[in-house]
Amino acid sequence: YNMLFECNKQFDYIDAGLPVIATQPTKLCDYLEKKGVLVKMSLDTLDIQYLSENRNYYKEKVLENRYELTVDYQINRMINFFEEISMK
């Protein structure tokens, strides 16, 4: 199980305009759920009817948050962070 691959995969779904359906990794799922781009379900709790009934909500939330969750949007913050810690 490659945690880095899994995390990136979730952002790939969002970038493609799709909500994420997952329960792990917990911290990332909690963050994405607050943004409204993640449906916290596992294979055992998968509810196709719920997903179908709420697809427009999740589609809207993904489109609303997609750019903010890209590397392009975050790159300056990341550069500043790494410059800051390299000076210490």
Side-chain angles (χ1 to χ4, degrees), residues 7 10 20-41:
C7 293
Q10 293 174 344
V20 176
I21 301 171
T23 58
Q24 296 291 327
T26 306
K27 294 278 187 192
L28 180 58
C29 286
D30 290 346
Y31 174 75
L32 295 175
E33 187 177 35
K34 287 177 188 171
K35 294 278 187 189
V37 300
L38 179 128
V39 184
K40 206 176 258 188
M41 291 183 188

Side-chain angles (χ1 to χ4, degrees), residues 18-79:
L18 301 169
V20 176
I21 301 171
T23 58
Q24 296 291 327
T26 306
K27 294 278 187 192
L28 180 58
C29 286
D30 290 346
Y31 174 75
L32 295 175
E33 187 177 35
K34 287 177 188 171
K35 294 278 187 189
V37 300
L38 179 128
V39 184
K40 206 176 258 188
M41 291 183 188
S42 66
L43 287 175
D44 296 333
T45 62
L46 191 61
D47 184 344
I48 300 298
Q49 183 176 345
Y50 173 85
L51 295 173
S52 180
E53 290 171 357
N54 292 282
R55 70 174 171 231
N56 289 333
Y57 168 80
Y58 288 106
K59 183 177 184 178
E60 188 178 302
K61 285 299 198 177
V62 168
L63 293 175
E64 181 182 306
N65 288 285
R66 182 167 54 179
Y67 183 67
E68 181 185 333
L69 295 169
T70 64
V71 171
D72 290 343
Y73 183 82
Q74 301 294 335
I75 195 72
N76 287 332
R77 288 181 59 212
M78 291 168 35
I79 290 169

